[in-house]
Amino acid sequence: MLHIREAIVVEGRYDKNTLSQVVDTLILETGGFQLFKDPEKMALLRRAAQRRGLIVLTDSDGAGFVIRNRIKGAVPAGQVKHAYIPDVYGKERRKRRAGKEGKLGVEGMPPPVLEDVLRRAGATFFQEDAPERPGGPPLTKGDLFAAGLSGGPGSAEKRQELLKTLELPEHMSANALLAVLNGCYSREEAEQILASLL
C-alpha cells in the first residue's frame, strides 16, 4: 500500500474502490456530473486542495476531461496536480459493454499503471516503511462516538452542526466525515475540532 500526501478526486465509487487498493489517502468522488450541481462538494474539493493538495484522476474519455476542467477552473493551480491514465480500449468486467468511447476508465486500470500515473503527476509519497502516518494514528469511529457524533441520541443533529461549521456537504455520513477529518487535518487539529463540541 502506497501512502501519499495529496487527496485524490475520482469520478465514481468503482474508481474509488480500485484506487483504495493501491493508495492510502483521502479519495473523494465527484459523482460524475453531479459535481456541477453541488457547490458543497466543490467546496470540499477546495478544502482538501488547500489543506493537503489535490490530484485529479478522471477517466481519459470526453466526460472525464469535462469534469477535470471544471475542477481545474475552481481550484487554484498551485494546489492541484493532474494524473492522466493511458488510452486503453476495452470494457470493465462489471459492465455489459464498453463505454461510449470504448476506453477503460480508472476502475479498469491495473495497480502498477495507477502507481505510475500518480508518480508522473508528482504525488508526494511518504516512506513506504514508515510505521505510522504523519501526525499520529488516525481518528476512529470510537472517537466520533465519544464526541457524540455517531451512535447516540442527537448525534445526527450534532454531526450536521459540525458539517455546517466545517463547510462540508450536509449529506455526508459519519464514515465520510471521519475520512475527511483524518484526510484534511492533523490528529491534533482533528482532536481540537472534536473537543470544541464537548
Side-chain angles (χ1 to χ4, degrees), residues 38-51:
D38 192 344
E40 291 178 332
K41 191 167 283 191
M42 187 57 78
L44 174 58
L45 295 181
R46 282 192 202 98
R47 164 86 39 101
Q50 179 184 26
R51 300 289 306 186

Side-chain angles (χ1 to χ4, degrees), residues 1-141:
M1 184 71 65
L2 303 167
H3 303 274
I4 67 172
R5 178 182 190 280
E6 295 87 359
I8 301 175
V9 60
V10 295
E11 291 179 50
R13 69 174 184 227
Y14 293 106
D15 298 334
K16 181 178 180 178
N17 291 344
T18 298
L19 196 57
S20 65
Q21 296 170 31
V22 179
V23 294
D24 177 22
T25 192
L26 176 63
I27 303 172
L28 303 167
E29 302 170 39
T30 67
F33 289 122
Q34 289 177 351
L35 180 68
F36 290 80
K37 299 180 268 181
D38 192 344
E40 291 178 332
K41 191 167 283 191
M42 187 57 78
L44 174 58
L45 295 181
R46 282 192 202 98
R47 164 86 39 101
Q50 179 184 26
R51 300 289 306 186
R52 60 190 292 173
L54 186 69
I55 296 175
V56 180
L57 181 60
T58 57
D59 294 348
S60 58
D61 59 6
F65 275 88
V66 169
I67 293 167
R68 178 184 299 275
N69 288 331
R70 174 69 174 106
I71 296 168
K72 187 177 183 179
V75 177
Q79 298 173 356
V80 67
K81 298 175 181 176
H82 293 274
Y84 297 92
I85 61 171
D87 284 342
V88 177
Y89 290 89
K91 75 170 191 66
E92 284 86 4
R93 266 187 242 149
R94 71 176 179 86
K95 295 181 179 176
R96 287 196 170 148
R97 59 181 159 217
K100 191 176 181 181
E101 295 180 29
K103 298 176 184 175
L104 290 178
V106 171
E107 78 173 270
M109 292 292 126
V113 171
L114 292 173
E115 179 183 349
D116 183 53
V117 299
L118 291 172
R119 287 191 187 278
R120 279 189 279 134
T124 307
F125 286 83
F126 294 122
Q127 292 179 348
E128 277 82 5
D129 58 352
E132 281 186 6
R133 300 166 82 174
L139 294 177
T140 65
K141 288 184 181 180

Side-chain angles (χ1 to χ4, degrees), residues 107-177:
E107 78 173 270
M109 292 292 126
V113 171
L114 292 173
E115 179 183 349
D116 183 53
V117 299
L118 291 172
R119 287 191 187 278
R120 279 189 279 134
T124 307
F125 286 83
F126 294 122
Q127 292 179 348
E128 277 82 5
D129 58 352
E132 281 186 6
R133 300 166 82 174
L139 294 177
T140 65
K141 288 184 181 180
D143 294 314
L144 291 187
F145 180 78
L149 293 169
S150 69
S155 60
E157 292 81 11
K158 199 170 184 180
R159 193 167 58 250
Q160 284 301 312
E161 288 176 34
L162 178 60
L163 291 172
K164 188 176 280 188
T165 301
L166 296 176
E167 298 174 351
L168 295 172
E170 66 178 295
H171 299 293
M172 189 174 269
S173 68
N175 287 340
L177 173 61

